[in-house]
Amino acid sequence: MSEKKSSKGIKDIAYTLLDKLGSWLLIVVIAIIMTFSSDKFLTSANFINVLRQVAVVLIAAIGISFVILGGGFDLSTGMNATFAGCNAALLMKNLGWSVPAAILAAVFIGVVLGTLNGLVVTYLKVPPFIATLGMQYIIQGLIFITTNSMPINGLPESFNVFGRGYVGVIPVPVIIMLIFVAIGQVILKYTKFGRSVIAVGENETAAKLSGLNVNITKVAMYSFCGFCVACAGIVLASRMSSGQPSSGGDMALQGIAAVYIGGTFKGSIINTMAGTLVWGFMNNALNLLNVDAYWQKVVLGIIIIAAVLFDTFRANLAAKQKK
Amino acid sequence: MEDILRLSKINKSFPGVKALTDVDLTIKKGEVHALVGENGAGKSTLMKIISGAYTKDSGEMWFDGKVVEQTTPKESEEMGISIIYQELNLIERISVAENVYIGRYPFKNGLLQWGEMYKNAQALFDEFDLNIDAKAIVRSLTMAQKQMVEIIKAVSINAKVIIMDEPTSSLSSKETESLFNIIRKLKANGVAVVFITHRLDEIFEICDRMTVLRDGHYVGESEIKDITKNEMITMMIGRELTQQFPERSSEIGEVVFEVKNISDGGDKVKDVSFGVHKGEVLGIYGLVGAGRSEAMRMIFGVDPKVSGQVFLDGKEIKIHSPRDAIKHRMGFITENRRDEGLFLRSSLSANVVMVALNKIMKNGLINYKKEYDATDGYIKKLRIMTPSNQQKAMYLSGGNQQKVVLAKWLFSDSDYIIFDEPTRGIDVGARREIYQLINELVADGKTIIVVSSDMEEILGISDRIIVMHEGTVAGEIKKEDFSQNLVTEYAVGERVDQA
Ligand SMILES: Nc1ncnc2c1ncn2[C@@H]1O[C@H](COP(=O)(O)OP(=O)(O)OP(=O)(O)O)[C@@H](O)[C@H]1O
Ligand SMILES: [Mg+2]
């Protein structure tokens, strides 16, 4: 029963590489183009800048990855993040809570809201798109009620470390981001929960018949998502040194985009990181090239679609070449 | 007789696998041609090349005397080739009739003629004496009924060649007989049939000629009347196979697993009761629709039961979900590997360890070495043909996928295992390995229930057989009384024991 390896030419290897690299390749392409177009691009300051800019979205995208891998969807993450930032600010500013206590409470509320999403989707069987759309509005309403739609400024200096601090030359948010990537990757690859999420996302019936706890897995992935986005919201508030009621609205869709651009379905959180970095470097490139802010949106929209198309195209090409 | 279809020097590779090497195949007009070979020999791949689902790397194909370049499945259908794929391809959420006429709905003045469509489809089922409602939603059908729908669909296209890739793997003797009647009719009309099966007796009953593939190579062809079953097996596996059903010497103990009065409240399962002894293999036979799988699904907590109790070692246990059952050391290999058994996009190793993740944990984390070691063990033991333990399950051949599902439950160390059609799609050689494994399990004191539609298998591996008919247990047969006739009499309802 021998398996004959098909002869591997240079072409084969090239295409395999293409397939393996995935969206990292896009980053390389952007980097090469930018190196020749702008002398400000290839500097460590600029790279650190990009990392700092993507940190918040990537922290949220880790949680979003789990929900999408598990066959779910979450539109409420942006609002959930914003809410966490505002809650922390309110607790510190208006109620005089200590920084750690305020952060813990704000993150806890984020986890509760994520869990609610999970419960509604799993037990009431509301489609995730609708359930989390509803949740998005509910949270937005709560934010306006609690903050009166006004920013909460003047937060303690020790709180601002999470968004503005540095360890050496590395910004603290980047360190937090890397910790989240590592945690996400370990959970996905090395825990029963990670396995269950992938199994449930792929074939819920088979997962149930294999004795996995499908319902708990589904609820827990939304809870974990709530945890990640709330943490992202804290970092964002810290970076702005303010609880901004209208700050994180875009985050939900950016996170989802990152998951698709990066091709997280291949089963790795590293892909989510790549997807977020594509976004970050693209933004950075457009800024350095002085593209008008309004046009930037148009270009970014095209990039999302193109990246996913490119991914399909690349996979097909690689498969075809290997045959 | 004239050739209707001829293939010459066909080659096809997938990443890491050379599936076909210089394969030839000649099909004559109006013949029933068996294509045989072990799991992963390349049968389905060759058929998909004919149907246009796959592109060949090289080689030539003639149909009806003309050279055929690459076609799409639609084009080959129009040309006169229809195919029943090994894995069912019906759309679950729509009706049977819609599935039969998909892509060629009857329209009049731009409107879909529902009435006509239902009528025509029903006429087809009635013509072949099949008890299937054309208006039924496909999801509500059993595997075997779905398979019959696929067959009718392929037959209703006026094709010159019909390819049937393991059409009988989920059928019991009665449906198989219906299928053979259909095939005989087709043959009388000059239609050629390519027939793939791992149940070799069927070949002697219905086929005229055969071609053998091994490891992606053409091995030979022969008239069926010129060959014996043993010669056929030797051609397939390259060696002789001794004794299809290995001897078993397990000690049969007390009744350890018992179910009482299982009912679904409707008429699929009515008051099913039986017990199984430690170290025993209990065979459950019945025709399609007898309620065997349905009863097993209720026992294992997959589908809700209206009444009934399950006892392990004399103590009643409550099972509300498969998870409960698994906690009580039960295992259940369902008949539908693709929808209920496999995670197609996951790797082979991820599939194997899915039930018993606890066994591959080390310090609270998944240990990949343990996962790979366990998987490699089963790849060797069950002779799973794959380039690596990381191959996605979707890229394995049908029989090899079935072996993965078996491996998953073997790895789970369950004590009470229900096998629903365990050897569906598995070749003769590997089948023997599986029977051997079942022997090892009972020798270890485990309790085994085998649901099977394969008469030879049920008689060959059971210590005792219960036969179901229309949702009830019609009778129980002890080993010394085993006979095909007796099993059939119970199965068709000609004989019923009043319990
Ligand atoms: N899409 C695919 N991608 C990669 N490998 C494939 C693919 N389809 C088939 N193969 C491989 O090609 C070989 C032949 O597979 P094929 O399905 O033709 O076998 P088969 O003779 O039909 O076996 P079975 O009796 O189990 O159905 C196997 O090794 C299989 O793993
Ligand atoms: Mg096959």
Side-chain angles (χ1 to χ4, degrees):
Chain A
M1 219 150 294
S2 61
E3 295 287 341
K4 283 137 253 134
K5 294 260 182 277
S6 45
S7 59
K8 277 218 159 118
I10 293 192
K11 225 173 166 186
D12 272 4
I13 296 171
Y15 282 109
T16 315
L17 209 64
L18 194 63
D19 188 42
K20 284 263 147 59
L21 275 175
S23 39
W24 292 106
L25 199 70
L26 269 175
I27 298 173
V28 172
V29 170
I30 297 171
I32 291 173
I33 295 173
M34 286 312 294
T35 309
F36 290 105
S37 316
S38 164
D39 51 2
K40 289 193 199 107
F41 181 79
L42 202 63
T43 59
S44 55
N46 187 47
F47 272 63
I48 287 173
N49 186 26
V50 170
L51 288 177
R52 206 186 52 194
Q53 277 167 356
V54 299
V56 170
V57 170
L58 182 48
I59 294 168
I62 306 292
I64 296 170
S65 299
F66 277 79
V67 169
I68 294 181
L69 279 173
F73 207 75
D74 193 346
L75 284 174
S76 69
T77 51
M79 283 306 146
N80 202 354
T82 308
F83 196 38
C86 292
N87 283 337
L90 277 173
L91 291 170
M92 289 182 290
K93 190 79 192 300
N94 296 7
L95 302 180
W97 287 32
S98 72
V99 173
I103 291 177
L104 276 179
V107 171
F108 178 73
I109 294 171
V111 174
V112 169
L113 292 172
T115 308
L116 275 178
N117 275 331
L119 291 171
V120 171
V121 168
T122 308
Y123 291 99
L124 304 182
K125 309 228 182 301
V126 180
F129 201 88
I130 302 301
T132 58
L133 182 68
M135 183 57 88
Q136 182 200 344
Y137 282 112
I138 293 171
I139 303 177
Q140 191 170 31
L142 291 174
I143 293 169
F144 290 154
I145 293 166
T146 52
T147 63
N148 240 331
S149 195
M150 299 293 278
I152 303 130
N153 297 321
L155 303 180
E157 203 44 50
S158 61
F159 177 72
N160 295 344
V161 165
F162 301 106
R164 297 181 161 188
Y166 281 87
V167 174
V169 289
I170 313 287
V172 174
V174 172
I175 294 171
I176 298 178
M177 165 188 103
L178 291 174
I179 292 173
F180 268 80
V181 169
I183 293 175
Q185 182 71 346
V186 168
I187 292 180
L188 187 65
K189 286 269 181 196
Y190 294 98
T191 67
K192 258 174 142 175
F193 171 63
R195 279 295 168 98
S196 303
V197 167
I198 292 175
V200 169
E202 224 194 279
N203 187 342
E204 204 174 314
T205 313
K208 190 175 154 214
L209 277 157
S210 299
L212 299 180
N213 203 328
V214 173
N215 287 346
I216 291 195
T217 302
K218 280 167 82 174
V219 175
M221 74 196 187
Y222 282 98
S223 312
F224 181 66
C225 182
F227 171 75
C228 291
V229 299
C231 292
I234 301 284
V235 173
L236 182 64
S238 161
R239 196 168 108 202
M240 295 183 301
S241 185
S242 149
Q244 293 276 1
S246 55
S247 57
D250 214 18
M251 200 190 293
L253 300 182
Q254 281 182 30
I256 293 166
V259 171
Y260 282 96
I261 294 174
T264 308
F265 285 103
K266 290 188 194 116
S268 171
I269 289 299
I270 305 299
N271 289 78
T272 304
M273 179 149 105
T276 318
L277 285 174
V278 168
W279 185 267
F281 275 109
M282 204 61 219
N283 249 322
N284 179 250
L286 294 173
N287 276 332
L288 289 178
L289 296 175
N290 290 322
V291 176
D292 174 81
Y294 297 158
W295 278 105
Q296 283 194 19
K297 289 264 179 211
V298 176
V299 174
L300 285 172
I302 294 171
I303 296 291
I304 296 183
I305 299 171
V308 175
L309 275 180
F310 173 70
D311 198 56
T312 327
F313 170 72
R314 190 167 38 69
N316 284 344
L317 205 66
K320 213 178 248 155
Q321 281 304 316
K322 276 193 268 180
K323 274 178 195 169
Chain B
M1 238 185 295
E2 243 180 291
D3 296 346
I4 178 79
L5 179 70
R6 196 154 78 78
L7 290 99
S8 164
K9 300 248 174 297
I10 302 289
N11 283 281
K12 174 76 183 171
S13 308
F14 296 107
V17 185
K18 182 101 206 286
L20 298 172
T21 312
D22 289 338
V23 171
D24 298 337
L25 180 69
T26 307
I27 309 293
K28 294 180 178 165
K29 235 172 217 164
E31 75 169 349
V32 183
H33 193 108
L35 183 62
V36 296
E38 287 179 297
N39 295 133
K43 304 178 296 295
S44 299
T45 305
L46 187 62
M47 296 303 104
K48 285 179 185 167
I49 286 173
I50 297 174
S51 79
Y54 283 167
T55 314
K56 56 184 183 298
D57 296 343
S58 67
E60 282 183 279
M61 171 167 155
W62 293 265
F63 181 74
D64 221 357
K66 284 190 282 289
V67 174
V68 182
E69 294 307 325
Q70 180 59 38
T71 55
T72 64
K74 182 92 191 139
E75 285 163 357
S76 359
E77 194 178 299
E78 281 158 7
M79 203 163 70
I81 298 174
S82 88
I83 178 164
I84 304 165
Y85 291 106
Q86 184 169 11
E87 303 298 340
L88 300 171
N89 275 303
L90 299 173
I91 300 173
E92 298 266 324
R93 281 193 291 181
I94 61 178
S95 70
V96 167
E98 286 168 88
N99 268 287
V100 170
Y101 288 107
I102 197 155
R104 49 196 180 103
Y105 293 137
F107 280 102
K108 208 160 103 192
N109 305 327
L111 295 176
L112 178 56
Q113 301 300 302
W114 288 93
E116 187 188 327
M117 188 167 75
Y118 285 137
K119 208 174 83 222
N120 292 348
Q122 196 62 57
L124 279 169
F125 290 115
D126 295 347
E127 181 186 345
F128 294 110
D129 199 19
L130 297 169
N131 183 20
I132 295 175
D133 178 6
K135 289 184 184 167
I137 299 298
V138 167
R139 199 189 356 218
S140 69
L141 305 183
T142 62
M143 282 287 282
Q145 287 174 322
K146 288 178 191 169
Q147 182 71 63
M148 292 312 286
V149 173
E150 287 274 19
I151 291 168
I152 292 300
K153 178 178 164 189
V155 168
S156 71
I157 298 166
N158 284 321
K160 293 178 186 154
V161 173
I162 302 184
I163 297 166
M164 303 185 176
D165 197 348
E166 300 195 27
T168 57
S169 67
S170 58
L171 302 184
S172 70
S173 52
K174 181 164 168 278
E175 295 81 31
T176 303
E177 212 32 66
S178 312
L179 171 64
F180 287 176
N181 286 333
I182 294 173
I183 293 180
R184 287 188 194 103
K185 231 180 229 181
L186 290 169
K187 197 177 146 174
N189 291 332
V191 178
V193 174
V194 183
F195 189 79
I196 301 179
T197 184
H198 289 295
R199 297 179 178 175
L200 301 185
D201 290 338
E202 294 174 353
I203 295 174
F204 290 93
E205 194 179 336
I206 194 74
C207 298
D208 305 308
R209 264 173 8 102
M210 65 155 199
T211 298
V212 182
L213 298 183
R214 192 196 312 147
D215 236 357
H217 292 263
Y218 168 91
V219 176
E221 55 190 289
S222 163
E223 296 280 330
I224 299 297
K225 58 179 183 335
D226 299 339
I227 193 168
T228 66
K229 191 167 161 183
N230 281 338
E231 286 166 351
M232 188 189 285
I233 292 173
T234 309
M235 276 175 92
M236 273 173 67
I237 66 179
R239 63 191 157 87
E240 275 184 49
L241 186 72
T242 48
Q243 222 189 351
Q244 172 84 81
F245 296 97
E247 288 295 329
R248 173 160 73 232
S249 56
S250 65
E251 205 155 302
I252 295 179
E254 301 279 286
V255 172
V256 284
F257 180 87
E258 205 176 2
V259 301
K260 284 187 183 155
N261 308 104
I262 300 278
S263 293
D264 68 348
D267 53 4
K268 276 190 177 150
V269 180
K270 291 175 271 194
D271 261 349
V272 170
S273 304
F274 61 84
V276 201
H277 300 255
K278 192 176 172 79
E280 179 186 46
V281 177
L282 174 70
I284 302 188
Y285 186 82
L287 301 182
V288 170
R292 297 163 303 168
S293 299
E294 287 84 351
M296 296 307 126
R297 295 173 72 85
M298 284 189 265
I299 293 168
F300 198 70
V302 186
D303 297 332
K305 53 180 180 287
V306 164
S307 64
Q309 297 163 292
V310 181
F311 298 86
L312 289 186
D313 288 321
K315 276 198 293 288
E316 183 175 0
I317 55 164
K318 294 281 177 214
I319 295 175
H320 301 290
S321 68
R323 204 172 151 74
D324 293 340
I326 291 167
K327 274 189 199 138
H328 285 103
R329 311 198 62 76
M330 289 170 63
F332 180 36
I333 293 136
T334 60
E335 60 178 336
N336 186 346
R337 60 175 170 253
R338 203 178 53 168
D339 296 333
E340 300 183 336
L342 290 168
F343 300 90
L344 288 171
R345 277 178 281 130
S346 290
S347 68
L348 203 163
S349 71
N351 272 281
V352 169
V353 300
M354 199 63 90
V355 181
L357 287 172
N358 281 335
K359 279 177 74 181
I360 56 159
M361 305 292 261
K362 199 170 155 187
N363 306 324
L365 295 178
I366 286 172
N367 182 295
Y368 279 83
K369 184 170 185 312
K370 283 189 182 179
E371 173 174 328
Y372 296 159
D373 286 351
T375 307
D376 291 342
Y378 287 110
I379 289 178
K380 236 170 122 186
K381 199 161 186 181
L382 300 176
R383 295 197 286 140
I384 301 174
M385 196 174 167
T386 175
S388 86
N389 61 24
Q390 289 307 291
Q391 182 77 327
K392 287 186 182 170
M394 63 197 274
Y395 295 137
L396 298 179
S397 80
N400 285 305
Q401 289 181 343
Q402 182 72 20
K403 293 179 194 172
V404 173
V405 178
L406 288 173
K408 174 170 99 171
W409 286 101
L410 292 173
F411 187 57
S412 76
D413 291 331
S414 309
D415 287 333
Y416 314 90
I417 313 178
I418 305 171
F419 290 90
D420 197 354
E421 307 288 356
T423 58
R424 194 164 80 80
I426 289 187
D427 69 50
V428 273
R431 215 174 261 226
R432 191 182 187 285
E433 314 289 328
I434 286 162
Y435 299 145
Q436 182 62 47
L437 265 167
I438 289 179
N439 284 356
E440 284 167 23
L441 291 174
V442 285
D444 264 2
K446 310 211 175 216
T447 304
I448 307 284
I449 298 173
V450 175
V451 177
S452 175
S453 303
D454 185 335
M455 180 69 79
E456 202 191 335
E457 172 169 288
I458 209 90
L459 292 171
I461 60 164
S462 311
D463 291 309
R464 193 157 53 92
I465 298 174
I466 63 173
V467 184
M468 285 183 67
H469 174 69
E470 291 184 349
T472 58
V473 176
E476 178 181 324
I477 310 171
K478 292 203 178 65
K479 185 131 196 165
E480 53 270 25
D481 304 326
F482 278 7
S483 85
Q484 190 159 339
N485 279 343
L486 193 57
V487 173
T488 307
E489 277 173 30
Y490 280 120
V492 298
E494 276 170 16
R495 188 183 179 126
V496 182
D497 287 351
Q498 291 323 97

